[in-house]
Amino acid sequence: MDIERFKHQHVEILDGIASLREFAHAGIKEHAYEIARAVVALSTVVKLHLAIEDRILYPALQNGPDARLAEMGRAYQDDMKGIANAYIAFSRRWTAAAIIAEKAEQFRAEANVVLKTLHGRMQKENTEFYPAIEAM
């Protein structure tokens, strides 16, 4: 199975997270506009990635001949639901620069939790899930 598209999207997602981290470190209030734009851009990639995984990757694995990969895919899909819901709620809440600037510390606290979780998931897929798919 060719998963290059998924891997490329992971690079985009990880780059987006890194960009948000850089803006936050440089000053949330001072970079609220850039942060809002980065949240919107990241959300576009994340939502596309989730949709393609749900419509193509997971069904292909679950209907494939490898029972171990089918189960791994189910587990990854189930685990991602909570992560996706948390990220989508975060991204909806933080798209306006004025709100980000006004509630900078709340943004920082939520971003630290949600983006750390998303980052960890991308790394886990890159080191465990995708290699298992490519090995089949």
Side-chain angles (χ1 to χ4, degrees):
M1 171 181 286
D2 182 14
I3 59 170
E4 287 306 310
R5 164 179 28 179
F6 299 105
K7 290 165 62 175
H8 179 72
Q9 289 169 340
H10 275 199
V11 170
E12 289 182 75
I13 292 167
L14 293 172
D15 286 349
I17 292 169
S19 177
L20 281 167
R21 189 174 290 140
E22 288 173 20
F23 287 131
H25 286 289
I28 293 173
K29 289 180 182 180
E30 298 83 357
H31 296 281
Y33 177 77
E34 292 89 348
I35 290 170
R37 288 185 62 208
V39 167
V40 171
L42 179 59
S43 295
T44 300
V45 179
V46 169
K47 289 175 186 176
L48 175 65
H49 184 72
L50 292 170
I52 294 172
E53 280 184 334
D54 283 344
R55 290 188 189 127
I56 297 172
L57 181 64
Y58 296 129
L61 292 174
Q62 291 166 10
N63 295 322
D66 189 322
R68 182 182 67 85
L69 272 178
E71 181 53 38
M72 185 183 251
R74 261 188 293 285
Y76 269 80
Q77 187 175 29
D78 288 344
D79 181 54
M80 192 61 201
K81 289 176 186 170
I83 296 168
N85 289 336
Y87 178 79
I88 291 168
F90 167 83
S91 69
R92 286 184 179 147
R93 192 169 17 263
W94 302 109
T95 57
I99 294 172
I100 293 170
E102 178 184 326
K103 299 179 178 184
E105 289 311 309
Q106 184 181 346
F107 171 82
R108 182 184 313 279
E110 287 185 35
N112 282 339
V113 172
V114 171
L115 297 178
K116 181 178 181 181
T117 302
L118 182 61
H119 185 276
R121 172 57 186 252
M122 296 296 102
Q123 296 294 18
K124 185 176 179 183
E125 287 184 9
N126 286 342
T127 59
E128 295 176 10
F129 190 42
Y130 288 175
I133 294 169
E134 290 177 319
M136 79 172 191

